[in-house]
Amino acid sequence: MTHIKTDRTSGGIAVLTLDHANSSTNLISPEWAVEFSDALDGLFADDAVKGIVITSAKDGFMAGADLDFMSRAFTTKEALEFSRSVSNAFRRLETGGKPVAAVLVGAALGGGFELALACHRRFFSDDPAVQFGLPEVNVGLLPGAGGTQRLQRLLGAEKALDLLLGGRSMTAAEAVELGIGETPAPGVTPLEAAFAWLASGPEPLQPWDRKGNMARHKLGLLDHSNAALFSMMTAKVAARTHHNYPAQPAILSAVFEGMQLHFDKALEVESKYFARLLSGDVAQNIVRTVFVNRRRAQNLAARPKGVAKMSFGKIGILGAGMMGAGIAYSAARAGSKVVLIDRNEDAANAGKEHVRGLLDKLVQRDRTSNEEAAAILDRILPTTDYTSLQGANLVVEAVFEDSAVKADVIKVAAAQLSAEAVFASNTSTLPITGLAENSTRPERFIGLHFFSPVERMPLVEMIIGKRTSQETIAHAMDFVGHLRKLPILVKDSRGFYTSRVFLSYVNEGVAMLDEGIPAALIENAARFAGMPTGPLAVTDEVSLDLPVMIAQQAKADLGENYREPCGYGVMTRMISEFDRHGRKYGAGFYEYGSGGKRLWPELASHFPSDSRYPSSQEIGERLLHVQALEAVRCVEEGVIEDPRDADLGSIFGIGFPTYTGGTLSYVDTVGIGKFVERCEALEKAVGERFKASDWLKQRAAEGLSFHG
Ligand code: NAD
């Protein structure tokens, strides 16, 4: 066997140890399920074995299903077979006539926790590394190896649903309190406790296999408490997911139907729901982008090969404002010494104070100790003195978004740096190739576009200028990896990638107001489609001045090739006629008061609604299509080379809905042919911004999807 070892002790207890080959964690795959069943067959057939302990040779018990395997395309039949193979093996474990104890170390998550639930008893220490949970919902799935059925029978439907729908982990203490397992008395290890329990000759029967256990659930909705719980949960789930995430209702159904059925039947029902989810688009999209491709990007898979790794003992940051301070915080936490430069001492010190505030919060939440926080803060040197940059391997520039100011600091800093040092700009709009000309080493110049707030946003858009070298890309990527952030590669172009897609959303939403679609409908339809914030609210957040300023800059740069973005007229009216610039100024599309915000009531009189307008579904679809089409253009223009980067950037940078798997997965899911057809219809209805290019039409004709 490659992933499982079995040992027999003289006392008749067999120990089955999970020890996955070629992986630091134990994972479930079809191959594993066969091996596990074979191991059980051997143990059950051996009369000398009186009881079984299942444990792990790794730091954790088991992480669940192998997501690389789960990311391939499944038919419903294949998905059902996979679920059944594991579910049947676990069922065999609990009905094989021998008592089984799980000895849990570290994390038992997903299928790992389901395996533990199929054991007759669970033993673990109260070590903080111990963690249990069923996070399947986070990847658009449900536990398909008995988890939905065993948990509800152990805890009752309400507590089980809380864990199943929340997908959160619990600590050892919480698991003990819920009655899921036990921590032995001081001085006794979980393994010793399991051996002692098995030696006492316990009955190998789960509560749900005892006679008469089912009766109280048979009433279904006729039971008042069930009726209240399930109607409330159904409404809650709908409100939270807007029907975009099928896993949540499937979990409710599996629990509800399963509670009324014999256990074996209930497992079959669970497998069917699981199979439908695993073979459906949403789980496939989430697993591919959010897990497989994100991990790939975090492991720096796109890093140019053959370049020696760079380390970041010391770095410099120019501009100690909101972004500079955030980057300083991330770098100092990652262990770098940070020289934080601003125009004067007060501004530089203010940046460091901002970091102190962030660290205080971490300490308050017990996420770090006072000593560690102090050590992190100590690594930051606020100053105005550029000579302090000497010896830094990398400098990030985050001064005002003004090319003259940036040119100035780039020149001054470059004079202090070695020839190997990387110079990165955090500009959100200025072309990197142009900025690089201020440096004596434009090949060592790159854009690192962080997102606000830096401490929470994982994405970094790496902008490659015309002269940026492969070594510079590799080293800048090392820096992004050092900060444990998520890099995507983008060619230098107006708006780079994420800002282009984001602006298409903002402009489209604002344009709808001009078409006579009521503001509340636009905002709600966007959220129903899965966007975290409506386009009008998000425009208020970034301020209306920003898209207007970007349009004016484009006009100045592009001359007669400039096309006024849709929605521009509404924004300029809002600014110049009504003096409403956005949230920062207390007035935008919304008004902001002590009781929260609400849409500005006068919007309806200045932008009157038409008597006929599209459905919420059509509006939501249009808002997703416009962003996806912009992402397609970025691929066509070579701004984005790898479609995986487009997906990651859209989800982790600008909140494109997770269930879609990102902008280009969305096009694939709609179907590229249908996507083009819809764009053509929208082009006729609302304007040429929906025009599908010949390149896209050709792809559609050839049936070429972005992810193959
Ligand atoms: P900010 O106004 O908060 O900070 C800019 C800082 O630069 C200020 O502390 C200012 O004193 C300092 N500064 C200005 N001129 C300087 C000079 N000559 N020498 C040294 N320091 C100088 O701005 P911010 O929001 O942190 O943005 C900084 C950069 O990051 C901009 O290029 C912006 O476009 C970009 N950016 C911002 C965001 C965002 O959401 N705010 C997101 C991504 C990128």
Side-chain angles (χ1 to χ4, degrees):
M1 294 204 174
T2 41
H3 307 308
I4 291 170
K5 280 192 226 121
T6 50
D7 299 292
R8 288 161 171 80
T9 65
S10 53
I13 294 173
V15 179
L16 186 155
T17 307
L18 307 171
D19 192 6
H20 211 284
N22 320 317
S23 166
S24 57
T25 43
N26 290 313
L27 299 169
I28 293 183
S29 63
E31 182 197 12
W32 179 87
V34 171
E35 214 175 276
F36 184 70
S37 292
D38 290 349
L40 287 186
D41 286 345
L43 296 177
F44 284 132
D46 185 346
D47 288 340
V49 174
K50 305 291 178 221
I52 302 167
V53 167
I54 300 188
T55 191
S56 159
K58 311 276 191 205
D59 290 342
F61 183 69
M62 190 176 233
D66 179 347
L67 288 176
D68 286 320
F69 163 71
M70 305 286 268
S71 68
R72 50 168 269 210
F74 283 86
T75 63
T76 315
K77 188 164 167 277
E78 288 165 340
L80 189 64
E81 273 166 16
F82 173 56
S83 169
R84 286 240 170 101
S85 67
V86 184
S87 199
N88 289 345
F90 290 1
R91 184 68 179 138
R92 175 141 166 62
L93 178 74
E94 67 184 357
T95 56
K98 299 191 180 186
V100 187
V103 172
L104 304 170
V105 291
L109 299 171
F113 188 48
E114 291 181 281
L115 168 57
L117 291 174
C119 297
H120 300 102
R121 289 274 281 268
R122 288 152 288 277
F123 299 89
F124 42 86
S125 73
D126 58 3
D127 189 293
V130 170
Q131 252 194 76
F132 307 130
L134 293 170
E136 284 84 348
V137 72
N138 300 329
V139 281
L141 291 171
L142 56 70
T148 63
Q149 303 309 317
R150 291 192 179 89
L151 202 62
Q152 61 155 312
R153 281 164 171 81
L154 274 176
L155 307 183
E158 188 171 356
K159 284 184 185 151
L161 283 176
D162 174 48
L163 292 166
L164 289 162
L165 292 170
R168 66 181 177 86
S169 297
M170 62 182 128
T171 59
E174 195 183 345
V176 170
E177 200 182 311
L178 287 169
I180 285 172
E182 55 215 89
T183 48
V188 182
T189 67
L191 190 65
E192 288 163 351
F195 267 70
W197 176 68
L198 290 170
S200 72
E203 196 185 7
L205 207 56
Q206 295 280 32
W208 42 89
D209 287 321
R210 291 176 201 277
K211 265 199 168 156
N213 182 267
M214 290 299 301
R216 68 195 169 97
H217 297 302
K218 274 198 174 145
L219 285 174
L221 278 190
L222 293 178
D223 176 312
H224 292 311
S225 58
N226 279 343
L229 173 67
F230 282 92
S231 45
M232 194 181 70
M233 292 309 288
T234 305
K236 254 193 182 171
V237 158
R240 214 185 290 156
T241 65
H242 305 302
H243 305 284
N244 292 320
Y245 294 84
Q248 282 84 338
I251 287 170
L252 280 177
S253 299
V255 170
F256 179 68
E257 291 169 36
M259 74 195 288
Q260 300 168 66
L261 296 169
H262 181 271
F263 194 72
D264 287 302
K265 267 267 165 266
L267 290 180
E268 277 178 32
V269 166
E270 181 196 75
S271 282
K272 281 185 187 158
Y273 279 113
F274 175 87
R276 219 179 280 168
L277 294 174
L278 181 58
S279 58
D281 294 326
V282 170
Q284 292 289 310
N285 283 335
I286 299 178
V287 171
R288 181 186 338 101
T289 302
V290 176
F291 288 86
V292 179
N293 291 341
R294 176 168 62 164
R295 189 183 50 198
R296 197 179 166 277
Q298 276 168 335
N299 290 341
L300 313 186
R303 185 184 188 276
K305 306 276 177 286
V307 181
K309 200 168 178 269
M310 186 173 254
S311 58
F312 302 96
K314 176 176 175 181
I315 67 147
I317 295 174
L318 314 181
M322 187 164 85
M323 297 306 289
I327 300 165
Y329 165 85
S330 296
R333 272 196 90 189
S336 300
K337 282 190 180 153
V338 180
V339 177
L340 184 58
I341 296 188
D342 209 299
R343 290 175 295 179
N344 53 56
E345 296 285 346
D346 285 350
N349 288 332
K352 184 164 177 174
E353 282 311 300
H354 180 74
V355 176
R356 187 193 302 278
L358 293 173
L359 288 167
D360 284 349
K361 278 192 204 139
L362 279 192
V363 172
Q364 275 160 23
R365 288 194 213 120
D366 258 351
R367 301 264 310 278
T368 195
S369 64
N370 271 316
E371 296 71 38
E372 178 60 16
I376 294 170
L377 203 59
D378 248 10
R379 287 185 207 122
I380 300 178
L381 171 72
T383 180
T384 55
D385 175 13
Y386 279 74
T387 59
S388 310
L389 290 175
Q390 286 168 13
N393 269 348
L394 177 140
V395 168
V396 187
E397 165 285 301
V399 298
F400 295 144
E401 188 73 348
D402 176 313
S403 41
V405 178
K406 288 197 190 287
D408 209 29
V409 299
I410 292 168
K411 281 179 198 149
V412 181
Q416 302 299 329
L417 297 173
S418 71
E420 294 77 40
V422 175
F423 200 106
S425 171
N426 183 43
T427 177
S428 28
T429 55
L430 302 169
I432 288 300
T433 306
L435 286 178
E437 272 151 28
N438 299 298
S439 162
T440 43
R441 294 176 293 275
E443 69 286 353
R444 294 302 274 164
F445 201 99
I446 194 165
L448 287 182
H449 183 210
F450 289 82
F451 291 73
S452 172
V454 180
E455 67 278 8
R456 271 198 277 130
M457 296 292 281
L459 192 76
V460 179
E461 210 177 2
M462 299 182 57
I463 319 292
I464 307 165
K466 276 212 179 76
R467 296 180 62 185
T468 307
S469 70
Q470 291 298 304
E471 285 76 15
T472 304
I473 297 172
H475 290 150
M477 209 177 255
D478 289 340
F479 182 60
V480 177
H482 173 67
L483 302 186
R484 295 176 182 276
K485 296 214 177 268
L486 174 70
I488 62 168
L489 287 177
V490 177
K491 290 258 167 61
D492 192 14
S493 86
R494 180 172 301 282
F496 312 136
Y497 168 65
T498 52
S499 304
R500 265 176 80 163
V501 175
F502 174 73
L503 271 179
S504 73
Y505 172 63
V506 161
N507 291 338
E508 197 64 31
V510 174
M512 285 175 173
L513 198 57
D514 212 16
E515 283 170 32
I517 302 177
L521 181 56
I522 302 169
E523 296 292 86
N524 285 331
R527 287 188 296 110
F528 293 165
M531 294 300 296
T533 316
L536 305 179
V538 86
T539 309
D540 270 8
E541 293 296 327
V542 298
S543 97
L544 280 75
D545 302 327
L546 181 76
V548 167
M549 185 268 288
I550 291 173
Q552 285 167 350
Q553 185 65 47
K555 187 175 182 181
D557 296 345
L558 297 176
E560 55 183 39
N561 290 328
Y562 168 75
R563 298 272 171 287
E564 187 170 277
C566 65
Y568 183 76
V570 175
M571 294 204 225
T572 48
R573 267 189 82 195
M574 288 290 289
I575 292 170
S576 45
E577 214 175 301
F578 313 122
D579 194 22
R580 301 186 74 88
H581 296 250
R583 179 175 195 136
K584 202 161 54 175
Y585 308 89
F589 291 112
Y590 284 76
E591 51 183 25
Y592 300 87
S594 51
K597 66 177 186 181
R598 61 169 187 162
L599 279 162
W600 183 38
E602 284 178 44
L603 271 184
S605 52
H606 299 301
F607 305 98
S609 301
D610 205 335
S611 55
R612 288 164 57 89
Y613 37 78
S615 69
S616 157
Q617 204 172 356
E618 284 170 300
I619 296 169
E621 185 202 51
R622 184 171 143 193
L623 288 169
L624 297 189
H625 267 55
V626 79
Q627 297 178 74
L629 185 58
E630 197 61 29
V632 166
R633 289 189 186 119
C634 288
V635 176
E636 180 179 353
E637 292 165 22
V639 172
I640 288 272
E641 215 168 84
D642 187 337
R644 291 175 285 209
D645 281 351
D647 281 347
L648 290 169
S650 64
I651 290 186
F652 293 103
I654 50 177
F656 198 76
T658 311
Y659 72 89
T660 63
T663 40
L664 297 181
S665 286
Y666 173 77
V667 178
D668 283 356
T669 305
V670 171
I672 188 159
K674 277 208 177 122
F675 181 79
V676 167
E677 268 172 37
R678 190 74 194 115
C679 287
E680 286 174 337
L682 283 166
E683 183 192 353
K684 276 199 198 103
V686 297
E688 71 165 11
R689 61 186 177 276
F690 277 98
K691 188 176 177 56
S693 69
D694 291 341
W695 177 84
L696 181 62
K697 285 184 194 159
Q698 183 60 33
R699 277 189 87 106
E702 291 171 25
L704 264 186
S705 63
F706 287 98
H707 291 287

